[in-house]
Amino acid sequence: MFSRRTILGTIAAATLLSGTTAAIAEGEYVALVSKGFQHQFWQAVQSGAEMAAEELGVKITFEGPDNETMVDKQIDMLAAALANKPAAIGFAALDSQAAIPLLRDADEAGIPIVAFDSGVDSDIPLATAATNNVAAAALAAEKMAEFIGGKGKVAVVAHDQTSRTGIERRDGFLDKIKADYPDIEVVTVQYGAGDQLKSTELTKAILTANPDLNGIFGTNEGSAIGVVNGVSEMGKEDLVIIGYDSGKAQKDAIRSGLMAGAITQNPVGIGYETVKAAVMAARGEKIESEIDTGFYYYDADTIDDPKIAAVLYD
């Protein structure tokens, strides 16, 4: 799905393996525990992680629960990874607090933790490789306001209210609207667990309750696709949809005009930087605590721009 050239094109040249050429001791590896494989986003993250592992000559594992509601399953996976004593662990938390006891165990065992995509409410992770979700969601709010003329009613279909990504994207959008657009009312925030079908039904319920709604923001791939499907099924026209992430369905919706635009992260870069940071941490090298992997807003006019196309996925 991602060529070597495409993957490298998503990562700043200055970050490529700077000083990290020696391999981890033979038999050691980096374990990555993801939020899941429900969306193509995570497959893109895995692609970046595998690229870094190949460049660095290390082994990795990459696993996650079947969907992003399975917090207990993810905790079990983290416990199993910890029991296998890897050189380092990369962790994308579904719940920003539930894993803290296990992270303490890792810290006591001397196993460095690097958070990716979504941080935790703890200073145990040495670094977090992620999008600045607050800033990205604020940009989504600005674009929404532009489309609806700075006034009207909007809603949010979010993926959860427990992960840092869910909280930050929701609050980044809401806070920007509150601060800068007093004539825009956010009528509701609903949580669809990033599930397309659930998000579709939530969208239809929102539209039924608010027939004069002007726009909806979907905070991840599954949420945004659910919004598109719900709006289409209700036959609602002239409603502005702003999404988050990529995937074929969102790209098709943007090209066709069903969706006004979306925020894209750099999932390949997230995976790449996570493994790179984990390896450096395992070697005792200094790493930056916040690794900003960047984002763009894209629409039908910019979707084929090379710098944006490089971080989109199908």
Side-chain angles (χ1 to χ4, degrees), residues 14-307:
T15 68
L16 291 179
L17 313 178
S18 53
T20 57
T21 55
I24 290 176
E26 185 176 355
E28 293 187 315
Y29 71 100
V30 175
L32 280 79
V33 179
S34 169
K35 288 183 178 179
F37 290 100
Q38 185 180 14
H39 308 304
Q40 293 168 320
F41 176 87
W42 297 112
Q43 298 166 29
V45 173
Q46 183 176 4
S47 296
E50 290 172 347
M51 169 61 79
E54 179 183 350
E55 292 283 342
L56 290 165
V58 302
K59 295 184 182 300
I60 65 168
T61 59
F62 193 101
E63 61 180 342
D66 292 337
N67 64 63
E68 296 180 23
T69 66
M70 303 175 71
V71 175
D72 289 344
K73 180 66 173 177
Q74 188 192 48
I75 296 301
D76 289 343
M77 288 179 169
L78 179 61
L82 181 59
N84 287 330
K85 295 180 170 45
I89 294 176
F91 181 58
L94 284 172
D95 187 305
S96 61
Q97 296 184 10
I100 290 175
L102 284 175
L103 298 185
R104 291 196 188 103
D105 291 343
D107 191 43
E108 292 172 2
I111 299 173
I113 301 289
V114 173
F116 66 97
D117 180 70
S118 189
V120 296
D121 294 337
S122 167
D123 60 1
I124 292 173
L126 299 177
T128 300
T131 305
N132 184 334
N133 285 292
V134 172
L139 177 57
E142 290 178 3
K143 295 296 183 180
M144 177 69 76
E146 288 178 16
F147 278 108
I148 67 174
K151 60 182 180 179
K153 297 180 179 181
V154 301
V156 177
V157 175
H159 51 291
D160 65 55
Q161 54 187 323
T162 57
S163 72
R164 295 310 309 172
T165 59
I167 294 167
E168 290 172 359
R169 292 177 198 173
R170 177 198 66 195
D171 291 352
F173 185 89
L174 296 179
D175 291 347
K176 186 65 174 178
I177 294 293
K178 182 178 180 180
D180 292 352
Y181 305 102
D183 294 327
I184 297 178
E185 177 188 359
V186 180
V187 298
T188 188
V189 178
Q190 297 293 320
Y191 301 93
D195 180 82
Q196 293 181 33
L197 294 178
K198 185 172 182 179
S199 298
T200 297
E201 294 308 310
L202 286 174
T203 298
K204 290 161 68 174
I206 292 169
L207 293 173
T208 299
N210 301 275
D212 56 346
L213 196 70
N214 301 105
I216 303 178
F217 172 47
T219 66
N220 78 343
E221 181 184 341
S223 304
I225 295 170
V227 170
V228 169
N229 291 342
V231 169
S232 297
E233 289 179 21
M234 292 289 286
K236 180 73 172 177
E237 297 180 357
D238 300 324
L239 187 139
V240 176
I241 303 170
I242 303 291
Y244 208 108
D245 293 325
S246 181
K248 186 177 185 304
Q250 277 200 88
K251 290 165 68 176
D252 289 347
I254 287 173
R255 291 186 188 280
S256 70
L258 286 173
M259 180 181 286
I263 300 292
T264 178
Q265 303 184 81
N266 180 359
V268 175
I270 290 172
Y272 189 100
E273 293 295 343
T274 299
V275 171
K276 176 189 167 187
V279 170
M280 292 176 69
R283 295 173 183 158
E285 299 177 23
K286 183 178 179 180
I287 58 177
E288 296 293 329
S289 61
E290 299 292 335
I291 303 170
D292 186 349
T293 52
F295 63 87
Y296 296 100
Y297 174 81
Y298 67 103
D299 55 23
D301 292 330
T302 60
I303 194 170
D304 294 317
D305 184 306
K307 69 181 179 182

